């Protein structure tokens, strides 16, 4: 019997997060955990999520106010929402009242709460939000509510820790108390959890959820747009060093600009493309950053929004990707394109170490035009593209949490009272 599943903490305005979501969905469906119609997605901006992915069932997260309103209105709305969720977490009577059909029929938040109540499993979408420099108290609330309603709570392929601030340690402790299964995408994150709390009975280090995506077969282009080999470059705004040292965004921007100049001088066609762009309601637009960094250069700015599958098709036409965004690097790997990566968080260095490609990644505070030039000169296409067997193994690892959930929660229908 398939399970009712809610995937919460989604941010579909970011195509990297959408790639995680798509990978989780494909893993759940391919293994029989749930059908497409039994999977509900709770997004921090449900209206935007539904517009971008109308084929998915997307609702507004209970503890987040949707975008599109003045900041003060959103602040007040979020405070009210979180007060309601906190009440539901601590009060069984409030939980019973909140699930009356009238609320679900006439109140959007009521529908969201009812979906959490009816779920056998509530999955916190994979990502890197359980880290010290983010406030993840709202995300923790979602999981506390899921546990209060009796569902199984799962964290899917997370990078996390080390929980050294008072706020992150407090909110992590709340999450650790309610989680039934956790999947890490690197050993460093597993250690961060182990240092702060006992591991749940179900836990493992597995490949990022996006590796579960099966690329769609694209038809060949009707014409060749450019005879030059294409290099896709992903940049982003950032202000923090990976290892806590002094970091200058201007230095990073200059390095990326110098890298583009070198590629152009060698006859490459350069295209700026990223996973965070082209969505008006989303706060980040990497194409604007690219426009500023590459001003005056013959670098094409692809500023449109692309779904993960569309990004893979764009990447398939490239011969090289220079990526600051980790999930663009993952999608390029799936597309069989060699990647040079700039890590703005430890997740990217951990990924490339696991792929056996540590020489092709550097921390954002260390990148220089010279480093990019050296990597381009040293790059051997054949040795920097994963084999079909390696990609298949990553896909299997990425989907393995679904198999483990089947084994651990096979009697899910009887687990909720």
């Amino acid at each position: 019997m398939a399970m009712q599943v809610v995937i919460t903490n989604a941010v579909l305005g970011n195509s990297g997060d959408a790639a995680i979501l798509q990978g989780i969905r494909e893993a759940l469906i391919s293994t029989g955990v749930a059908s497409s119609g039994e999977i509900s997605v709770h997004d921090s901006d449900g209206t935007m999520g539904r517009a971008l992915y109308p084929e998915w069932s997307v609702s507004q997260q209970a503890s987040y106010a949707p975008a599109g309103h003045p900041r003060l209105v959103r602040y007040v709305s979020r405070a009210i929402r979180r007060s309601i969720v906190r009440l539901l977490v601590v009060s069984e009577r409030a939980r019973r009242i909140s699930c009356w059909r009238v609320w679900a029929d006439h109140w959007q938040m009521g529908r969201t709460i009812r979906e959490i109540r009816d779920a056998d499993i509530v999955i916190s979408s994979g990502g890197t939000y359980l880290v010290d420099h983010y406030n993840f108290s709202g995300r923790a609330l979602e999981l506390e509510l899921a546990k209060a309603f009796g569902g199984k709570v799962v964290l899917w392929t997370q990078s996390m820790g080390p929980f050294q601030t008072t706020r992150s340690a407090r909110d992590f402790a709340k999450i650790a108390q309610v989680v039934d299964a956790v999947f890490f995408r690197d050993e460093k994150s597993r250690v961060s959890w182990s240092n702060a709390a006992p591991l749940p009975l179900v836990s493992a280090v597995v490949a990022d959820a996006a590796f579960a995506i099966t690329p769609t077969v694209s038809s060949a282009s009707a014409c060749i747009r450019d005879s030059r080999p294409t290099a896709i470059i992903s940049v982003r705004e950032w202000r923090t060093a990976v290892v806590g040292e002094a970091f200058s965004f201007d230095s990073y921007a200059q390095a990326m600009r110098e890298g583009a100049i070198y590629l152009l001088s060698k006859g490459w066609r350069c295209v700026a493309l990223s996973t965070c762009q082209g969505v008006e309601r989303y706060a980040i637009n990497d194409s604007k950053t690219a426009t500023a960094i590459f001003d005056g250069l013959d670098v094409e700015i692809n500023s449109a929004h692309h779904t993960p599958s569309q990004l893979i098709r764009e990447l398939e036409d490239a011969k090289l990707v220079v990526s600051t965004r980790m999930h663009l690097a993952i999608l390029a790997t799936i597309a069989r394109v060699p990647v040079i990566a700039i890590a703005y968080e430890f997740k990217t260095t951990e990924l490339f170490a696991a792929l056996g490609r540590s020489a092709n990644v550097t921390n954002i505070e260390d990148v220089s035009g010279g480093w990019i030039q050296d990597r381009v000169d040293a790059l051997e296409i054949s040795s920097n593209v994963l084999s079909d067997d390696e990609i298949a193994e990553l896909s299997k690892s990425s989907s393995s949490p679904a198999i483990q959930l089947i084994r651990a929660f096979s009697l899910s229908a009887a687990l909720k009272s």
Side-chain angles (χ1 to χ4, degrees):
M1 180 179 177
M3 304 178 187
Q4 292 290 330
V5 176
V6 164
I7 306 174
T8 190
N9 291 324
V11 186
L12 296 178
N14 179 326
S15 293
D17 287 66
I20 292 171
L21 210 300
Q22 183 174 334
I24 295 174
R25 283 177 51 86
E26 290 193 23
L28 293 171
I29 293 168
S30 65
T31 55
V33 173
S35 67
S36 178
E38 292 164 322
I39 301 173
S40 299
V41 178
H42 292 181
D43 190 272
S44 58
D45 188 345
T47 300
M48 178 176 63
R50 283 190 296 275
L52 295 174
Y53 299 91
E55 69 275 23
W56 296 348
S57 173
V58 181
S59 300
Q60 177 65 39
Q61 270 188 267
S63 61
Y64 285 81
H69 300 286
R71 179 175 295 182
L72 179 59
V73 174
R74 292 187 65 195
Y75 177 83
V76 173
S77 175
R78 185 182 66 182
I80 293 171
R81 283 170 166 269
R82 294 189 181 182
S83 294
I84 292 171
V85 175
R86 289 189 189 95
L87 175 63
L88 294 174
V89 169
V90 300
S91 171
E92 183 178 355
R93 182 179 182 184
R95 290 196 294 275
R96 288 199 303 268
I97 294 173
S98 72
C99 291
W100 288 352
R101 188 78 246 179
V102 64
W103 301 122
D105 288 342
H106 301 288
W107 183 35
Q108 183 275 324
M109 186 174 176
R111 292 195 298 275
T112 299
I113 292 168
R114 193 176 183 89
E115 287 178 345
I116 295 174
R117 188 207 69 169
D118 292 343
D120 298 295
I121 300 175
V122 174
I123 295 170
S124 187
S125 183
T128 315
Y129 44 82
L130 304 181
V131 290
D132 291 6
H133 59 265
Y134 290 139
N135 182 348
F136 52 88
S137 58
R139 300 180 186 274
L141 263 179
E142 303 280 336
L143 305 183
E144 289 183 281
L145 180 60
K147 178 56 66 175
F149 275 122
K152 292 295 182 180
V153 177
V154 177
L155 302 185
W156 201 292
T157 49
Q158 305 282 329
S159 294
M160 62 176 68
F163 311 118
Q164 293 178 335
T165 68
T166 301
R167 182 182 65 193
S168 67
R170 177 198 65 210
D171 291 331
F172 169 74
K174 294 177 181 178
I175 292 174
Q177 290 176 358
V178 301
V179 165
D180 298 287
V182 57
F183 300 98
F184 309 99
R185 57 187 178 193
D186 51 71
E187 179 64 18
K188 186 172 183 177
S189 297
R190 190 197 68 79
V191 171
S192 290
W193 181 297
S194 299
N195 288 340
L199 285 165
L201 292 177
V202 181
S203 67
V205 177
V206 300
D208 184 273
F211 281 110
I213 294 175
T214 302
T216 56
V217 179
S218 58
S219 58
S221 299
C223 61
I224 299 175
R225 293 176 296 174
D226 199 308
S227 60
R228 296 174 295 171
T230 297
I232 287 178
I233 306 174
S234 153
V235 297
R236 69 156 300 163
E237 183 78 17
W238 194 250
R239 298 295 172 185
T240 308
V242 177
V243 294
E245 298 175 357
F247 168 66
S248 165
F249 174 79
D250 291 340
S251 176
Y252 157 75
Q254 183 62 29
M256 300 304 289
R257 183 179 175 87
E258 290 175 2
I261 290 172
Y262 181 72
L263 286 164
L264 291 167
S265 74
K266 291 296 183 179
W268 288 79
R269 167 182 175 248
C270 293
V271 180
L273 175 67
S274 192
T275 50
C276 294
Q277 60 181 49
V279 180
E280 184 177 349
R281 286 168 65 113
Y282 191 58
I284 301 170
N285 189 336
D286 291 344
S287 66
K288 291 183 178 179
T289 305
T291 298
I293 289 176
F294 302 125
D295 181 42
L297 300 182
D298 185 22
V299 175
E300 300 171 36
I301 308 296
N302 184 330
S303 60
H305 169 262
H306 303 276
T307 67
S309 295
Q310 290 168 344
L311 280 170
I312 291 174
R313 288 195 290 273
E314 292 282 336
L315 291 161
E316 286 173 339
D317 291 333
K319 297 297 183 183
L320 171 68
V321 172
V322 182
S323 184
T324 310
R325 289 287 183 181
M326 188 184 81
H327 279 93
L328 193 76
I330 289 176
L331 295 177
T333 301
I334 294 172
R336 311 300 203 273
V337 182
V339 184
I340 296 169
I342 296 88
Y344 63 91
E345 290 177 318
F346 72 86
K347 61 184 179 182
T348 308
T349 54
E350 294 292 315
L351 168 67
F352 274 70
L355 297 179
R357 301 294 189 275
S358 291
N360 284 357
V361 63
T362 190
N363 288 339
I364 195 168
E365 64 267 28
D366 298 324
V367 69
S368 66
W371 182 85
I372 296 174
Q373 176 178 328
D374 290 344
R375 294 321 309 152
V376 170
D377 289 345
L379 198 66
E380 300 218 359
I381 302 296
S382 59
S383 63
N384 282 281
V385 176
L386 298 187
S387 68
D388 289 347
D389 287 344
E390 289 174 309
I391 293 292
E393 189 59 34
L394 285 167
S395 178
K396 180 180 178 181
S397 174
S398 180
S399 298
S400 65
I403 301 296
Q404 296 189 55
L405 296 185
I406 290 173
R407 294 170 181 165
F409 309 145
S410 59
L411 299 178
S412 63
L415 290 173
K416 293 182 68 176
S417 57

